[in-house]
Amino acid sequence: MHFHKYEKYWLTFGIGALVVFLLITGIMAFHNGSHPPSAKKTINYEQVDKQAPFDNPGVHKVTGKDWDYEVVVVASAFLYTPTVLEVPVDSKVKFIATTKDVVHGFGIAQTNINMMLEPGYISEYVTTVDKVGEYLIVCNEYCGVGHAQMSSMLKVVAKK
Ligand code: CUA
């Protein structure tokens, strides 16, 4: 088989770029131990139900913090606990979530919230919910046969 000189240059460049890319990704993941940026704290995933705040999942009003509500969610195959979350509009909310088994996702439709939940890690995200509505929460990480049915609902309601 005959390759033109420039084809050889491009093949070398292409394969070289691929090797460099895989090396960088590999070093970041295995040597530097990179994780999704929202997963900063660790937890024993076998004891999730016994450890605060996951021993009491749900929406909790808090005071003296930079946010108004803490929304604690436990993911497991193939559901979220609790299944419905309700917060008043214009609240600053901290989502705190983890998983009891495999990797799950926590994506809130129509928002930029999309966390990866890894066993052994706590994922957190602070945001202000500024529009009344019902937002579907879906799992964006393939987790098994029930993946497509895994969902819950965030209801942002008018202030009473
Ligand atoms: Cu949980 Cu996909």
Side-chain angles (χ1 to χ4, degrees), residues 72-125:
V72 179
V73 176
V74 177
S76 56
F78 300 97
L79 55 91
Y80 296 99
T81 310
T83 51
V84 178
L85 307 162
E86 190 175 304
V87 286
V89 70
D90 292 329
S91 324
K92 198 167 180 187
V93 177
K94 183 179 198 177
F95 292 94
I96 307 169
T98 193
T99 164
K100 291 205 284 192
D101 38 49
V102 296
V103 170
H104 294 284
F106 184 86
I108 307 182
Q110 306 166 61
T111 73
N112 62 352
I113 302 166
N114 186 13
M115 300 195 291
M116 187 177 180
L117 311 180
E118 292 177 279
Y121 290 87
I122 299 170
S123 297
E124 298 180 338
Y125 190 81

Side-chain angles (χ1 to χ4, degrees), residues 23-43:
L23 272 176
I24 291 172
T25 311
I27 290 167
M28 292 286 284
F30 295 107
H31 186 261
N32 295 348
S34 291
H35 291 281
S38 55
K40 294 194 182 85
K41 297 176 191 161
T42 56
I43 186 170

Side-chain angles (χ1 to χ4, degrees), residues 10 19 46 54 56-57 59 61 114 116 119 131 135-136 156:
W10 272 113
V19 168
E46 291 178 321
F54 301 105
N56 185 20
V59 178
K61 178 115 179 83
N114 186 13
M116 187 177 180
K131 258 171 92 180
Y135 300 86
L136 188 65
V156 179

